[in-house]
Amino acid sequence: MGDSLSPEEKLSLITRNLQVTILFADLHAYLDNMKAPWELLELRTSYYENVIKAMLESIGVPLEKLRFIKGTDYQLSKEYTLDVYRLSSVVTQHDAKKAGAEVVKQVEHPLLSGLLYPGLQALDEEYLKVDAQFGGVDQRKIFTFAEKYLPALGYSKRIHLMNPMVPGLTGSKMSSSEEESKIDLLDRKEDVKKKLKKAFCEPGNVENNGVLAFIRHVLFPLKSEFVILRDEKWGGNKTYTAYLDLEKDFADEVVHPGDLKNSVEVALNKLLDPIREKFNTPALKKLSSAAYPDPSKQKPAVKGPAKNSEPEEVIPSRLDIRVGKVISVDKHPDADSLYVEKIDVGEAEPRTVVSGLVQFVPKEELQDRLVVVLCNLKPQKMRGVESQGMLLCASVEGVNRKVEPLDPPAGSAPGERVFVKGYEKGQPDEELKPKKKVFEKLQADFKISDEYIAQWKQTNFMTKLGSVSCKSLKGGNIS
């Protein structure tokens, strides 16, 4: 009888009988560089169960075929623990490290727990008695690891299903540790607006565009269409029933980034409103605040240095440095030595930056040039014009002082993050506090190498395309 069914009928039959297990990997979370402290694991498991149920209900997914399981419900059993030991006796350190390379947090001195992580995820398939495991493509090395090593313990291989990784709003990989790269299910409307406004969405650029990716992988599958909302003078609203048509219009700059972001904001808030409403009850509000306590409401620190306290870490990842493109350059109306530039740094609107380059760089050399901009300094008025960033330059002091802007790698796009190699995963400060002098402390070790590369403590400033450099000021300072 099965052979007489069409592919669509077979798929429908499978779907009706499909049961989905959602694993709250609390033990994994602790092992992955202790992302979650033990005392919060129970609260966060309960929080995520409620959030996931609210999310699925908001889009009409029935919950009868779902089961929720915590890892510690079975991962601390005698049988599971013995299998961990059995697995460790056949797995090489090389294979364990390779399997977790894209999932386990990578640090300079990795913990042994990170090597255990892939083995536990493989064993979960057997102990949950599943037929298939689903995850992002970043899980593929762990899936390959499971297919290789489960049979070594006498267990069956499973099917592995993967979905593409949606780029974050900042243009790089979405990360739970990078707040601006993602939209949370309980974000307020003003948070959604703020994050989308800052999202990387260069006109015509469809590569690593988190806003377009969200439309493609979330909004289109739910609604089978997407509406661009815009003023009548720009053509009025336009409905797309095929994602590739929208992508083409964006690539051809028929659709403006501002209209795209505004339209996503409206569509996204419609999806999030039912979830926000569900969590507007006293019980769930209490659960949310307990699982993720507001740092600002924690017990205030005692004034003055605490006994045995560690000094605040001053590292390059605290700086929000981005590639920018100079859109316009004008002389400051009240200062002959200053330029007022409009610089695209990947946000909805260009930033105004005031720089003292009139004596060193001709106006025409700045126009349309790619530059490097420090974006999280506190905005400061310079002769009546507020500067919203600092254009980073190389300089050589002396009688004939020379200054030239740093150059990002060729092909860089506005908004791409500039980082010091080895510090790319850190989260920049929202705003650098002037009294703490974080930038000044780091700047003391900024230098141009003999190969004209910008460095901090002899380590290169980079983007994903290569090193940041300058044209001619070997051995210069950076300011």
Side-chain angles (χ1 to χ4, degrees), residues 327-346:
I327 305 301
S328 66
V329 189
D330 293 294
K331 283 278 193 74
H332 193 295
D334 298 315
D336 292 340
S337 64
L338 300 178
Y339 283 132
V340 178
E341 302 120 3
K342 294 288 186 183
I343 303 180
D344 178 5
V345 291

Side-chain angles (χ1 to χ4, degrees), residues 33-52:
N33 212 35
M34 294 180 288
K35 281 183 178 178
W38 276 114
E39 60 270 18
L40 290 180
L41 286 173
E42 186 76 31
L43 289 166
R44 290 187 177 176
T45 298
S46 179
Y47 167 82
Y48 280 116
E49 181 171 348
N50 281 279
V51 165
I52 291 169

Side-chain angles (χ1 to χ4, degrees), residues 150-373:
L150 278 187
L153 301 186
Y155 298 140
S156 302
K157 290 183 182 181
R158 265 63 179 191
I159 298 167
H160 294 109
L161 309 170
M162 290 174 282
N163 64 287
M165 299 299 292
V166 178
L169 295 177
T170 53
S172 56
K173 181 181 177 181
M174 192 181 297
S175 170
S176 59
S177 60
E178 190 176 353
E179 187 61 32
E180 299 299 324
S181 74
K182 61 189 175 64
I183 301 290
D184 288 320
L185 291 169
L186 296 181
D187 272 350
R188 301 169 302 165
K189 290 187 177 183
E190 51 266 41
D191 296 325
V192 173
K193 179 182 285 292
K194 180 182 175 182
K195 289 179 180 180
L196 285 171
K197 185 177 180 181
K198 293 176 70 174
F200 170 70
C201 193
E202 182 186 28
N205 188 351
V206 300
E207 298 297 323
N208 297 316
N209 188 322
V211 181
L212 276 176
F214 189 85
I215 297 171
R216 179 175 190 173
H217 296 293
V218 178
L219 298 178
F220 253 105
L222 287 174
K223 298 290 185 181
S224 300
E225 65 176 29
F226 185 74
V227 181
I228 291 291
L229 305 171
R230 58 188 174 190
D231 196 281
E232 288 295 334
K233 67 180 179 181
W234 304 117
N237 296 351
K238 183 172 181 180
T239 299
Y240 290 87
T241 56
Y243 168 76
L244 290 178
D245 292 339
L246 171 60
E247 185 180 278
K248 183 178 185 302
D249 276 359
F250 185 83
D252 294 340
E253 299 190 28
V254 174
V255 174
H256 188 272
D259 292 329
L260 189 76
K261 290 181 178 183
N262 290 337
S263 305
V264 169
E265 181 185 342
V266 171
L268 188 52
N269 279 320
K270 285 181 181 177
L271 287 176
L272 296 182
D273 278 341
I275 305 172
R276 295 179 183 129
E277 183 62 29
K278 180 131 187 178
F279 269 75
N280 201 28
T281 63
L284 290 180
K285 280 183 178 179
K286 183 179 179 181
L287 174 62
S288 298
S289 61
Y292 288 94
D294 185 344
S296 66
K297 295 180 180 178
Q298 300 301 299
K299 190 174 181 180
V302 179
K303 287 189 177 180
K307 199 172 184 180
N308 298 325
S309 64
E310 293 184 8
E312 188 176 48
E313 194 174 21
V314 179
I315 53 176
S317 55
R318 295 181 64 180
L319 304 180
D320 181 7
I321 305 177
R322 303 183 216 167
V323 174
K325 183 176 181 180
V326 180
I327 305 301
S328 66
V329 189
D330 293 294
K331 283 278 193 74
H332 193 295
D334 298 315
D336 292 340
S337 64
L338 300 178
Y339 283 132
V340 178
E341 302 120 3
K342 294 288 186 183
I343 303 180
D344 178 5
V345 291
E347 298 171 340
E349 300 293 335
R351 290 197 182 201
T352 300
V353 176
V354 180
S355 56
L357 295 176
V358 172
Q359 301 173 43
F360 306 104
V361 184
K363 178 178 175 180
E364 55 273 16
E365 286 188 17
L366 278 179
Q367 182 66 46
D368 298 323
R369 176 177 182 154
L370 288 178
V371 291
V372 176
V373 182

Side-chain angles (χ1 to χ4, degrees), residues 170 178 180 198 315-323 345 347 351 372-377 388-390 392 415-419 426-432 438-439 442 461:
T170 53
E178 190 176 353
E180 299 299 324
K198 293 176 70 174
I315 53 176
S317 55
R318 295 181 64 180
L319 304 180
D320 181 7
I321 305 177
R322 303 183 216 167
V323 174
V345 291
E347 298 171 340
R351 290 197 182 201
V372 176
V373 182
L374 177 61
C375 294
N376 60 340
L377 288 174
Q388 300 165 330
M390 176 190 287
L392 294 182
E416 287 182 12
R417 189 171 177 195
V418 176
F419 54 87
Q427 174 72 12
D429 290 12
E430 183 73 22
E431 182 178 279
L432 297 172
V438 172
F439 174 68
L442 292 166
F461 281 88

Side-chain angles (χ1 to χ4, degrees), residues 91-136:
V91 174
T92 65
Q93 179 188 6
H94 171 270
D95 282 3
K97 187 175 181 180
K98 180 180 177 183
E102 294 184 56
V103 177
V104 179
K105 187 174 182 179
Q106 301 298 299
V107 293
E108 187 175 354
H109 300 292
L111 299 172
L112 178 61
S113 58
L115 298 178
L116 294 175
Y117 187 111
L120 269 62
Q121 186 168 335
L123 285 173
D124 289 340
E125 296 181 347
E126 173 64 25
Y127 278 79
L128 292 171
K129 300 301 178 185
V130 296
D131 299 304
Q133 185 180 172
F134 173 76

